[in-house]
Amino acid sequence: MGMIDRVEVPRKVCPVIILADKSISMDGLPIGSENAAIEGILPELASMNKENPDAFIKFALMEFSTGVNWKTGIDGLVDPAEYKWVDLVADGATSFGLACKELNNKLSVSHGFMKQASGSMSPVIILISDGEPTDSYSVALAELKKNNWFKVAAKIAIGYGKANDKVLEEFTGNPETVIHTNDVQELKNLIKFVAITSSMVVSTGQATKSNTDTNADPDDTTSVVADALKQAQAALSDATDPGEEW
Amino acid sequence: MADIQTSIRKNQKIKLLNGQTVTVTGKIGEGGQGIVYRVKVDGTNEEKAMKWYFMYKINDPKSFCSNLADNVATGSPSETFVWPEQLTEVTNGSFGYIMEIIPDRYKALSKYLQARVSFKSCSAMVTAAINIVEAFQQLINKGYSFQDINDGSFKIDPTTGDVLICDCDNVVSFGKASGISGKARYKAPEVVRGDTLPNKVTDRYSLAVILFLLLVGNHPLEGARSNVPCMTGKYERRFYGQEPVFMFDEQLDVNRPVPGLHRNAIALWPCYPDFIRKAFIRSFSQDSLLRSEGRLIEQEWLMLLVRLKSCIVRCMNCGCEYFAESTIATACPDCMAYNTPPGYLRFDKKRTNVEITIPIADGAKLYEAELDERSKDYNTVSAEILVKPGKYGLKNLSKSVWEITAPGGKTVKKAPGEVAVLGTGFRIDFGNGVTAEIVANSR
């Protein structure tokens, strides 16, 4: 190795995990919006990875209906630039409890997705749902809430249509990171906006509230993302003609 | 993501506060704080860059804007800084400023850290380090603090080591807060702990981090101990603020680089001369990290770095560039052959408390600031070591006539362009108050 030869400075992995409801009530336009939005954020996440020397975003997508399935595979988090997108197909019920249980399993270094040589940053976990849970979720969610990765994660939920925002709030632990819409076009915009904003805030190291407030809990990543989302939403509503943008 | 965070359109006209208008012609890039557009100044057709803020990223827009206006009025400390030239009027709830466009030959430091760009020579790398320190010095001399210093702040030409400093909108006078929360990895521990706002002393810590990343290729505080499964906010505070430990701390070995992970540091740290390793050990000592003491001032870094540049020689075995020690054998980092110079130049006076010795080896160069006490020029070559079978010479590339005195008392003068043969015990008076002696190494 010569004096000017280098290997990359190790980057922490920033896990971005999306839990996507694909129950039959999502059939039609909602699942189409969900697919388009999630597929659309992958190149954005890949582009952030090119620019950010501090963190490397890796991605996992869980689809849940009657059962759960990791669309991105069970081997772990994947590089968003390398993942080959396959659309979600709506069917079945809304087994939210099962999704919580499976997420809890995978938020683990020893038997889950979280073993990374250079370590991780706090995960970003995004839940998208359009209806009431059809299973008994309380025990699974309570267990998930004991998971240390879950505790420090930035948790955001997007509710569509008949989603029960109280349940989503139980999941995020913060009403400010539960966003609801009844508009299918807005659902697509929201998913993209929430995923990109929260991934950027966490992966660029802006998620430590102690940066600006030394009395704040430095591990309350969710509230920092809540602030960013709140402030960014004004800018979002400004963009009325997407045809004019580039 | 531009479409969801701003409402600037192509061909949109934006008014500047000085009455001129610019037309947006394209997008250059995007950062944490906003988007940079390519614009044309109406009337002159001059191309400029325009930074446009995400307003929600600014804690206190009013004071941020007023600080920017002050900086526009005061002007840039030097050409190295891509300085705000004119503010725009507030448009669609946000605002920005125009500045020069950065030429393509400059690459972001973040790309070097990702090993996507590498320096073309050791000399370019050390020149970049010198240019960064000089820029800091100019900033500090003007009473400014660079609060958001990080890898995104520097753009470097990999061939020449020329540096441009960007993100100058976050520069504020000492004692003020810019409203930008910087990255913990680059902030001084006392700033991470919340003990103080950024100031001259905290900026000096950040400078040392940048220099370590540039030269050694890893973060000084990231080693075995800080390699936790999840870098939560609490851990970030601990490793960069409350309990920071340098990976090569002389007393504490808990945070050593991890094989396979911190590969640059493991390979390159032993290849730097002792005086550079000591400078980093001092910069990241517990005194520095916990009590803000002992950090190097810019002038010390400049003399150390120019001395480092003078130590760049070619390996006699493989021809690879490396940094030679004056008095001991140094391993070539490429072929691992050990080379010992036959001797060295020992300068009589310390400079800014830095002792200067230069190895006598093929390719070693001396720079104007080393041969002239009044000079601040760290790039112009004033002397070069030459080799012929059986002898070494020093070519006078300066503007002064040198006087060389042999131990027997014989004196000769060497004008610019002439070569002085180097013999043991010779003394050279370079003029301008700088003298050195040729010392042989025992073989």
Side-chain angles (χ1 to χ4, degrees):
Chain A
M1 187 174 187
M3 293 304 300
I4 51 175
D5 301 325
R6 297 282 189 277
V7 294
E8 186 183 7
V9 176
R11 291 197 263 179
K12 301 271 177 219
V13 168
C14 175
V16 174
I17 301 172
I18 298 183
L19 278 55
D21 182 349
K22 60 153 204 164
S23 57
I24 193 66
S25 52
M26 293 282 283
D27 199 21
L29 289 176
I31 197 90
S33 276
E34 192 173 45
N35 278 319
I38 301 173
E39 185 180 10
I41 62 172
L42 294 174
E44 302 276 4
L45 299 182
S47 153
M48 284 188 219
N49 281 342
K50 276 194 183 162
E51 300 303 321
N52 185 357
D54 296 334
F56 188 91
I57 295 169
K58 283 192 178 179
F59 171 74
L61 172 62
M62 179 211 286
E63 54 179 2
F64 67 98
S65 54
T66 305
V68 298
N69 174 46
W70 290 99
K71 288 286 275 184
T72 41
I74 53 164
D75 294 336
L77 305 165
V78 299
D79 179 346
E82 288 177 4
Y83 178 62
K84 291 195 175 40
W85 177 257
V86 182
D87 272 351
L88 281 64
V89 180
D91 69 358
T94 308
S95 302
F96 176 59
L98 206 56
C100 290
K101 190 176 172 193
E102 178 56 20
L103 177 63
N104 192 21
N105 282 338
K106 292 294 184 274
L107 290 178
S108 157
V109 171
S110 60
H111 54 273
F113 289 173
M114 311 314 283
K115 185 170 175 58
Q116 307 292 340
S118 56
S120 294
M121 307 178 87
S122 302
V124 175
I125 300 174
I126 301 166
L127 168 67
I128 307 163
S129 184
D130 82 327
E132 289 277 356
T134 52
D135 61 355
S136 158
Y137 66 89
S138 305
V139 175
L141 181 56
E143 280 303 308
L144 178 61
K145 286 189 165 190
K146 290 182 200 160
N147 184 306
N148 284 334
W149 289 95
F150 190 78
K151 283 183 197 165
V152 298
K155 299 169 285 279
I156 311 105
I158 300 166
Y160 172 71
K162 291 181 180 160
N164 183 339
D165 287 354
K166 287 284 166 213
V167 176
L168 302 184
E169 192 182 316
E170 272 186 71
F171 181 83
T172 66
N174 185 336
E176 292 182 332
T177 55
V178 175
I179 304 169
H180 194 103
T181 179
N182 292 316
D183 180 302
V184 76
Q185 182 59 35
E186 198 183 39
L187 173 66
K188 181 180 154 190
N189 291 342
L190 269 179
I191 294 171
K192 202 172 168 192
F193 161 71
V194 161
I196 291 169
T197 305
S198 49
S199 303
M200 184 173 263
V201 167
V202 174
S203 68
T204 55
Q206 300 168 47
T208 309
K209 196 143 193 170
S210 53
N211 271 339
T212 47
D213 178 0
T214 48
N215 294 321
D217 174 2
D219 288 342
D220 189 0
T221 320
T222 302
S223 75
V224 181
V225 169
D227 289 348
L229 292 175
K230 226 181 333 182
Q231 288 163 320
Q233 280 188 69
L236 177 71
S237 61
D238 272 352
T240 53
D241 182 0
E244 288 180 348
E245 310 295 337
W246 72 86
Chain B
M1 60 185 297
D3 54 334
I4 55 171
Q5 290 200 334
T6 180
S7 47
I8 290 289
R9 299 181 314 274
K10 193 169 179 176
N11 296 325
Q12 185 168 346
K13 287 193 185 298
I14 303 281
K15 261 194 177 173
L16 305 181
L17 286 186
N18 68 356
Q20 285 183 300
T21 57
V22 295
T23 304
V24 179
T25 58
K27 182 177 162 182
I28 295 176
E30 183 168 340
Q33 278 182 300
I35 296 176
V36 178
Y37 295 99
R38 187 180 290 273
V39 298
K40 265 191 181 163
V41 180
D42 295 338
T44 68
N45 264 353
E46 198 183 355
E47 284 216 305
K48 295 275 180 190
M50 180 179 78
K51 179 157 182 181
W52 195 254
Y53 290 103
F54 301 143
M55 285 300 279
Y56 64 92
K57 293 285 178 71
I58 313 291
N59 285 345
D60 181 353
K62 204 172 171 188
S63 69
F64 186 81
C65 190
S66 123
N67 179 65
L68 259 179
D70 287 348
N71 289 357
V72 168
T74 312
S76 173
S78 83
E79 286 177 355
T80 308
F81 294 85
V82 185
W83 201 257
E85 293 175 2
Q86 270 301 326
L87 294 187
T88 73
E89 286 190 353
V90 174
T91 310
N92 297 346
S94 187
F95 73 102
Y97 66 87
I98 61 162
M99 61 189 154
E100 288 294 338
I101 289 177
I102 297 170
D104 287 343
R105 70 185 175 98
Y106 290 93
K107 310 292 179 198
L109 175 59
S110 53
K111 290 206 167 93
Y112 293 78
L113 302 182
Q114 290 176 48
R116 289 166 60 201
V117 175
S118 53
F119 285 105
K120 302 293 180 226
S121 64
C122 280
S123 169
M125 178 175 71
V126 181
T127 301
I130 287 172
N131 286 334
I132 288 172
V133 179
E134 279 193 300
F136 254 76
Q137 196 173 36
Q138 287 154 353
L139 201 66
I140 284 175
N141 287 348
K142 275 219 166 187
Y144 285 123
S145 159
F146 202 142
Q147 302 212 358
D148 187 32
I149 191 170
N150 63 56
D151 47 71
S153 311
F154 302 94
K155 299 251 194 271
I156 305 170
D157 181 332
T159 307
T160 61
D162 291 344
V163 170
L164 288 179
I165 314 257
C166 326
D167 294 346
C168 294
D169 41 356
N170 297 325
V171 168
V172 298
S173 302
F174 287 123
K176 287 188 189 169
S178 74
I180 298 297
S181 40
K183 295 182 183 181
R185 296 174 88 201
Y186 297 91
K187 285 189 197 169
E190 60 269 34
V191 177
V192 175
R193 291 193 298 265
D195 296 348
T196 176
L197 283 174
N199 56 50
K200 184 158 74 178
V201 178
T202 66
D203 271 5
R204 282 185 178 136
Y205 168 85
S206 305
L207 172 63
V209 172
I210 295 287
L211 293 176
F212 193 82
L213 278 164
L214 191 75
L215 298 178
V216 186
N218 284 111
H219 191 286
L221 304 184
E222 291 170 7
R225 181 166 165 274
S226 62
N227 192 35
V228 288
C230 184
M231 184 58 77
T232 61
K234 266 187 200 119
Y235 278 134
E236 206 170 72
R237 247 191 218 185
R238 181 188 295 176
F239 298 135
Y240 300 105
Q242 291 153 341
E243 300 169 23
V245 178
F246 179 38
M247 58 159 63
F248 295 114
D249 189 283
E250 285 187 311
Q251 271 84 45
L252 301 166
D253 63 0
V254 293
N255 202 27
R256 291 284 182 255
V258 178
L261 200 57
H262 306 109
R263 289 164 57 193
N264 297 325
I266 290 171
L268 299 177
W269 178 251
C271 301
Y272 278 97
D274 192 46
F275 63 89
I276 288 293
R277 290 199 301 262
K278 278 190 174 141
F280 282 124
I281 288 169
R282 191 178 129 196
S283 297
F284 304 119
S285 68
Q286 291 290 295
D287 277 346
S288 162
L289 297 174
L290 299 179
R291 291 174 285 282
S292 321
E293 290 168 2
R295 292 176 190 165
L296 276 73
I297 61 169
E298 294 69 52
Q299 197 54 42
E300 280 177 285
W301 273 122
L302 287 171
M303 286 317 296
L304 287 165
L305 290 168
V306 75
R307 183 180 163 192
L308 179 66
K309 197 154 72 157
S310 288
C311 295
I312 299 171
V313 300
R314 294 214 165 269
C315 172
M316 288 186 281
N317 187 44
C318 72
C320 176
E321 279 188 323
Y322 73 103
F323 298 110
E325 293 267 16
S326 293
T327 57
I328 55 170
T330 316
C332 165
D334 208 34
C335 71
M336 298 314 287
Y338 274 86
N339 301 293
T340 310
Y344 57 95
L345 275 84
R346 183 177 63 205
F347 286 77
D348 293 320
K349 275 194 219 163
K350 282 188 177 180
R351 300 284 297 281
T352 323
N353 211 27
V354 173
E355 194 174 82
I356 308 276
T357 67
I358 308 294
I360 296 173
D362 189 14
K365 295 178 177 69
L366 286 102
Y367 296 87
E368 192 176 292
E370 290 174 300
L371 297 190
D372 183 347
E373 284 185 310
R374 296 160 305 179
S375 172
K376 301 271 184 223
D377 184 342
Y378 303 91
N379 289 318
T380 300
V381 178
S382 289
E384 183 175 10
I385 306 259
L386 302 177
V387 191
K388 266 188 178 178
K391 59 177 144 186
Y392 283 90
L394 188 67
K395 185 168 187 180
N396 184 352
L397 298 168
S398 75
K399 294 183 188 103
S400 305
V401 175
W402 298 348
E403 192 173 280
I404 297 117
T405 307
K410 187 179 174 188
T411 296
V412 294
K413 291 193 187 299
K414 292 289 173 186
E418 293 184 317
V419 179
V421 172
L422 299 177
T424 304
F426 284 16
R427 295 191 58 78
I428 306 176
D429 184 343
F430 294 102
N432 308 306
V434 176
T435 54
E437 184 179 347
I438 310 297
V439 181
N441 281 324
S442 52
R443 308 234 80 181

